[in-house]
Amino acid sequence: MALRSGVSFLRFTALRSSRLLSTHTRPDIQQNGGKTAEFPGAKAPYVTDMKFLNETNYEPIPIYRVLDNNGEVLMNSEEPDLDKEVLLNMYKTMIQLNQMDKILYESQRQGRISFYMTNYGEEGMHVGSAAALSLRDMVFAQYREVGVLLYRGMTISELVNQCYGNHEDPGKGRHMPVHYGSRQLNIVTISSPLATQMPQAVGAAYAFKRQPDNDRCVICYFGEGAASEGDAFAAFNFAATLECPVILFCRNNGYAISTPSSEQYRGDGIAARGPSLGINTLRVDGTDALAVYNAVRAAKEIAVKNKPVLIEAMSYRVGHHSTSDDSTAYRSIEEIQKWTADENPIQKLRLYLERKGLWNEEADKALIKESRDIVVRTMQDAEKKKKPHWKEMFEDVYYDMPPKLQKQMKQLEHHLKKNGEHYPLDNFQKE
Amino acid sequence: MAGLITKKTTCSRYLFKNVNNYMKRLSSHFTYFPDEQKPIEGETSKMNMMQAINNAMDITLKTDPSAVLFGEDVAFGGVFRCALGLQEKYGKDRVFNTPLCEQGIAGFGIGLATAGATAIAEIQFADYIFPAFDQLVNEAAKCRYRSGAQWACGALTVRAPCGAVGHGGLYHSQSPEAFFAHAPGLKVVIPRGPTSAKGLLLSCLRDRDPCIFLEPKILYRAAAEEVPVDSYEIPLGKAQVLREGDAATLIAWGTQVHVMLEVAQMAKEQLGVNCEVIDLASILPWDEETVCNSVKKTGRCLIAHEAPLTCGFGAELAATIQEECFLHLEAPVRRAAGWDAPFPHVFEPFYLPDRTRCMQDLRDLLQY
């Protein structure tokens, strides 16, 4: 008995300093002492004053610009050193796009094509960003970036053929108008579901990153409305965590169809989301082609070091959302006019070029006429061209046509032999 | 003394009864039939399905330098260990974790494939593939078609564990193949064991169309057999006749193939008839020829799948068989499937189209 007590006593003494003490008195656990806390989920210090964060705790992200509304350079050090040819090419692309928009918009109103979307007010960011990239960089677009496509070298006839879905459309007439794409120019074919291209662009950038001595990046365009999609968050987060050479380029034009940005988000636009996910971020004046050029050029330098960049280009959607929309149903004509008159990206660049002595009114008139003529001529040609053979409907679903689909193609062939007069076969190519 | 013995007996009877019930509850609902026929000659090694899948990915990562494997928790080997050891072998830039976001995983994979890389994406459970539904159905499936074949993402394969596992409840048991079977442009493939998993997965990874590879998770460890060590492919879009017969055609895929093999054996033993058993393997595009030839021969057809009955893939099979084999059918095409309820937890033994239910359906079919 005595022995057992002794053992107990010994055990008690041994545990005294650790276990027993900890149940009776306050433990002497080391304090953090103002250093960064050690939670694996965040690196932050402790504070003792409770303060909720919201948009009033910090300044809004400023908007970078190079030109003022009169086309004057605000800060000489920021003027990009661009060749005359590049500058003129940027301007000419904007005019060409603007003329194409006008004519194709009208042609939709006349029922000659089924659908169209204009780019009014956003031409500056198209050419500014396109000029800062190389053809080897890959483009994922939403649908309102036709200036990018034109600048990279898509021809009016390729674009118009797509809108008509004739047999010269590389997409073989399967897609709605304005869903362009070009393998040759590294422009991934546009699809209608919004923001789906965003995580895809990040994946493509990851593939680039894995190539040795990579100097290529991916640029992904999207609107501020699309940025509300889950895919946008996925893209931001994947781009950051997987360290991808991608430029996520947001066109914030104030509206998603009829929804104003005030109903789209309550934070400081899209740009404010970048730093919160660990992405280098810049907000830029999207009506200033030179500011956009500088931004994307700098972004590419960062991106090719496998650090993604988010650029939010601020602009205003001057045109209707699409030919299926009348935007005066949800915004005032005065508002539209203000942006057409004072913040017009085409006008800004023209004034800049005029100041530099690279452009004048006469050249402008000639360019507008020439651009117009090209579109009208191309449209007349496109209209005459037949649509692809109906069998193209069955091709490219898979790399090889599965037996079941072959059977269905034969079924339709058989059906058309018997009932061809009920179908617009004359508009389509024959075998 | 006598009382004590009685008590003991009662006790052991009680114990026995409970263990027996317990076994009924937890034992798998199928007996695994190993693959006897080897797709290629040469050295084999005993592998379970997890190891066979690991082996297929290992071969791909070794032979295709563009190939990457990614998803939630794949870096440490994956929650089902299919990616075990691959990161150590091929590096962190080729085998890596993504943020927890299925639509991101699918979209990221499409992008990789669009840029020319081979993308092996893992969705942790097929039950969680639905956030990626848009990317898979609207994007992956239509990529080649909408671009006039200028662009494609055929080098994408999405792997996802599917099917019943005994206790998976609503969100660890689903078989979503029929949802994807309605999306032209996708290929949907389900293996029945290690040998078929390796060959079919290698085919998916090399195929020029985006594939969804659904892996019956209950087979990962339960199924083991001799698998060829070398690389081999099992063609997509082809069904396999595993047992020949003339009394009825039994069609299934995944784990259910083994239920059907057992049912065929039971039919032989109990009824003295030979049933033909077909593993469909490819859900989309599926092998109409093999199926219809068999049904024309047998005149009777039972289709079984774990997924719910209404609009399950069995409906597509039944409709086509009816259309193609009308004059040969001796009885209506019969479907044994999961009930039209979410996949339940404690009721799993009553939910699945197990051997007893399939056998009863077969009896009815033969007696029609």
Side-chain angles (χ1 to χ4, degrees):
Chain A
M1 220 40 192
L3 187 66
R4 278 180 70 180
S5 304
V7 171
S8 306
F9 177 74
L10 275 175
R11 198 183 292 152
F12 179 78
T13 320
L15 292 172
R16 221 182 132 85
S17 56
S18 54
R19 188 170 68 87
L20 283 183
L21 260 186
S22 68
T23 62
H24 284 272
T25 47
R26 204 171 277 278
D28 187 20
I29 296 171
Q30 210 177 346
Q31 295 304 304
N32 179 273
K35 286 180 301 193
T36 304
E38 287 173 10
F39 299 110
K43 288 185 176 54
Y46 290 108
V47 292
T48 50
D49 55 327
M50 186 172 69
K51 192 174 160 194
F52 288 96
L53 285 178
N54 59 41
E55 74 281 6
T56 62
N57 294 115
Y58 52 86
E59 294 294 308
I61 296 171
I63 302 162
Y64 168 75
R65 69 194 310 199
V66 172
L67 297 177
D68 70 8
N69 289 357
N70 296 317
E72 207 150 351
V73 174
L74 289 158
M75 180 85 84
N76 284 335
S77 61
E78 292 303 302
E79 185 180 1
D81 179 23
L82 283 170
D83 289 346
K84 183 186 160 189
E85 287 70 37
V86 174
L87 284 170
L88 288 177
N89 195 13
M90 283 165 75
Y91 184 69
K92 286 176 182 173
T93 304
M94 287 160 90
I95 293 291
Q96 181 65 78
L97 171 60
N98 194 247
Q99 291 305 314
M100 185 179 91
D101 275 353
K102 282 181 181 157
I103 296 165
L104 286 180
Y105 184 82
E106 282 310 313
S107 81
Q108 194 282 335
R109 301 277 97 171
Q110 296 161 11
R112 291 160 76 182
I113 57 173
S114 63
F115 177 79
Y116 195 68
M117 300 177 109
T118 62
N119 300 270
Y120 301 142
E122 303 189 39
E123 300 92 340
M125 50 190 165
H126 299 176
V127 297
S129 59
L133 297 171
S134 93
L135 275 185
R136 298 178 67 243
D137 298 319
M138 200 179 219
V139 175
F140 282 81
Q142 181 168 306
Y143 51 64
R144 209 185 296 283
E145 296 90 359
V146 184
V148 177
L149 282 55
L150 273 174
Y151 190 91
R152 286 173 83 90
M154 269 188 95
T155 62
I156 295 293
S157 92
E158 284 174 292
L159 298 172
V160 169
N161 285 335
Q162 197 282 328
C163 289
Y164 277 89
N166 63 33
H167 71 268
E168 285 187 11
D169 165 23
K172 303 181 186 172
R174 293 170 186 148
H175 227 340
M176 269 174 94
V178 313
H179 291 64
Y180 311 112
S182 167
R183 175 92 207 186
Q184 210 186 340
L185 299 172
N186 248 326
I187 300 158
V188 178
T189 301
I190 291 163
S191 75
S192 313
L194 286 180
T196 47
Q197 81 279 17
M198 297 179 67
Q200 294 173 14
V202 176
Y206 192 90
F208 281 6
K209 166 177 145 170
R210 288 205 58 245
Q211 289 161 5
D213 305 320
N214 177 49
D215 61 349
R216 299 203 280 170
C217 74
V218 175
I219 188 161
C220 176
Y221 297 90
F222 56 100
E224 91 286 351
S228 295
E229 292 282 0
D231 277 328
F233 179 78
F236 291 165
N237 205 25
F238 277 54
T241 58
L242 299 170
E243 298 170 344
C244 298
V246 64
I247 303 170
L248 296 155
F249 189 105
C250 179
R251 299 175 294 97
N252 189 337
N253 61 19
Y255 288 93
I257 307 189
S258 74
T259 307
S261 48
S262 61
E263 291 168 23
Q264 200 65 247
Y265 53 75
R266 283 298 158 89
D268 180 24
I270 309 307
R273 299 176 197 175
S276 72
L277 289 160
I279 302 175
N280 283 286
T281 300
L282 184 74
R283 178 176 275 162
V284 61
D285 180 357
T287 68
D288 176 352
L290 298 187
V292 173
Y293 171 84
N294 279 351
V296 174
R297 200 187 148 90
K300 181 171 173 176
E301 278 175 32
I302 300 170
V304 292
K305 291 178 192 134
N306 300 328
K307 292 190 174 74
V309 180
L310 171 63
I311 292 175
E312 183 183 28
M314 307 307 294
S315 71
Y316 186 84
R317 195 195 75 213
V318 173
H320 301 304
H321 164 68
S322 74
T323 47
S324 312
D325 171 52
D326 173 12
S327 65
T328 55
Y330 51 80
R331 60 182 187 178
S332 71
I333 293 176
E334 292 76 49
E335 184 186 296
I336 301 170
Q337 276 164 350
K338 177 182 124 30
W339 285 93
T340 317
D342 304 336
E343 301 276 359
N344 185 325
I346 300 180
Q347 176 175 279
K348 265 186 207 179
L349 192 63
R350 193 187 72 233
L351 293 172
Y352 172 75
L353 293 175
E354 285 178 2
R355 275 170 203 286
K356 287 184 79 104
L358 297 174
W359 201 247
N360 56 46
E361 209 186 318
E362 218 171 295
D364 212 52
K365 275 186 185 154
L367 176 62
I368 290 173
K369 187 180 180 313
E370 191 196 340
S371 304
R372 222 189 137 72
D373 288 349
I374 290 174
V375 181
V376 172
R377 229 180 12 249
T378 313
M379 270 179 53
Q380 286 163 349
D381 288 348
E383 255 167 353
K384 281 181 215 137
K385 285 172 191 149
K386 298 258 184 203
K387 311 266 186 245
H389 193 284
W390 61 261
K391 282 187 176 173
E392 286 292 353
M393 177 167 69
F394 295 90
E395 298 286 347
D396 303 326
V397 178
Y398 293 93
Y399 183 79
D400 292 314
M401 197 185 295
K404 188 125 186 167
L405 205 50
Q406 290 176 26
K407 203 162 123 183
Q408 291 175 11
M409 193 167 83
K410 287 209 182 84
Q411 239 176 314
L412 179 57
E413 188 166 27
H414 185 67
H415 176 73
L416 289 175
K417 262 183 200 147
K418 282 189 177 168
N419 303 283
E421 72 274 18
H422 298 292
Y423 296 86
L425 280 171
D426 290 343
N427 302 343
F428 291 78
Q429 282 190 313
K430 309 251 180 301
E431 264 169 302
Chain B
M1 198 62 191
L4 192 66
I5 290 168
T6 321
K7 205 177 167 189
K8 242 184 170 171
T9 320
T10 319
C11 182
S12 61
R13 197 182 295 152
Y14 176 79
L15 200 76
F16 178 76
K17 193 180 151 198
N18 271 285
V19 167
N20 205 24
N21 275 341
Y22 184 71
M23 290 305 284
K24 259 191 204 162
R25 162 80 184 84
L26 279 187
S27 69
S28 60
H29 63 281
F30 68 99
T31 308
Y32 185 72
F33 286 74
D35 234 324
E36 299 299 345
Q37 286 179 327
K38 295 295 149 221
I40 51 163
E41 301 280 307
E43 196 194 334
T44 62
S45 164
K46 186 135 182 160
M47 295 183 203
N48 60 28
M49 198 173 81
M50 174 271 275
Q51 291 162 327
I53 288 165
N54 182 283
N55 183 237
M57 296 196 292
D58 191 355
I59 290 170
T60 304
L61 288 162
K62 194 187 298 166
T63 51
D64 176 356
S66 80
V68 290
L69 165 61
F70 55 93
E72 293 157 14
D73 304 302
V74 301
F76 89 117
V79 295
F80 288 108
R81 317 312 284 146
C82 289
L84 199 65
L86 296 177
Q87 190 184 62
E88 291 84 77
K89 211 163 165 185
Y90 297 103
K92 286 183 175 168
D93 71 318
R94 299 193 64 194
V95 180
F96 53 90
N97 287 339
T98 65
L100 206 164
C101 178
E102 286 77 13
Q103 63 197 100
I105 293 170
F108 183 82
I110 292 169
L112 273 162
T114 306
T118 298
I120 318 172
E122 179 176 306
I123 299 292
Q124 203 159 72
F125 285 87
D127 311 65
Y128 307 128
I129 206 167
F130 300 110
F133 201 71
D134 183 40
Q135 284 286 355
L136 295 171
V137 171
N138 271 332
E139 297 290 317
K142 298 170 176 56
C143 185
R144 184 195 306 282
Y145 189 74
R146 69 171 176 233
S147 68
Q150 292 188 90
W151 296 100
C153 62
L156 168 70
T157 300
V158 178
R159 297 175 37 242
C162 74
V165 71
H167 49 269
L170 279 76
Y171 306 111
H172 298 82
S173 311
Q174 292 180 63
S175 300
E177 67 272 12
F179 287 105
F180 292 103
H182 201 54
L186 291 179
K187 290 189 175 172
V188 183
V189 180
I190 309 180
R192 66 168 185 278
T195 308
S196 87
K198 180 177 171 181
L200 288 169
L201 181 54
L202 280 169
S203 293
C204 284
L205 293 170
R206 293 164 187 171
D207 194 75
R208 305 184 79 152
D209 294 304
C211 298
I212 297 178
F213 191 73
L214 297 170
E215 302 163 0
K217 67 181 90 65
I218 201 167
L219 300 178
Y220 277 139
R221 284 169 192 282
E225 65 201 15
E226 289 295 325
V227 178
V229 175
D230 289 341
S231 171
Y232 63 92
E233 290 176 30
I234 295 177
L236 305 182
K238 290 266 172 284
Q240 209 180 337
V241 179
L242 299 178
R243 188 181 162 123
E244 294 199 4
D246 52 14
T249 301
L250 312 182
I251 308 170
W253 48 92
T255 319
Q256 195 68 26
V257 169
H258 304 286
V259 176
M260 291 304 228
L261 283 168
E262 194 173 349
V263 167
Q265 206 170 49
M266 285 157 75
K268 175 78 187 157
E269 287 158 10
Q270 296 172 18
L271 312 171
V273 297
N274 286 316
C275 291
E276 188 140 306
V277 178
I278 295 180
D279 174 9
L280 197 65
S282 281
I283 305 299
L284 187 72
W286 64 281
D287 187 352
E288 200 178 302
E289 198 188 349
T290 303
V291 166
C292 291
N293 284 345
S294 171
V295 178
K296 279 176 190 165
K297 181 175 74 176
T298 62
R300 288 178 161 85
C301 180
L302 171 65
I303 303 157
H305 54 68
E306 291 180 10
L309 180 78
T310 300
C311 285
F313 197 67
E316 175 60 31
L317 293 174
T320 305
I321 291 165
Q322 180 275 137
E323 213 173 307
E324 297 299 320
C325 315
F326 188 69
L327 294 176
H328 299 82
L329 284 173
E330 308 279 351
V333 178
R334 191 135 188 153
R335 289 176 290 155
W339 307 115
D340 287 346
F343 199 108
H345 186 219
V346 301
F347 308 117
E348 181 170 321
F350 304 103
Y351 182 84
L352 285 174
D354 62 358
R355 58 174 86 84
T356 318
R357 191 135 73 82
C358 289
M359 189 62 198
Q360 185 57 52
D361 280 349
L362 179 61
R363 283 175 202 275
D364 293 350
L365 192 62
L366 293 172
Q367 282 164 14
Y368 186 83

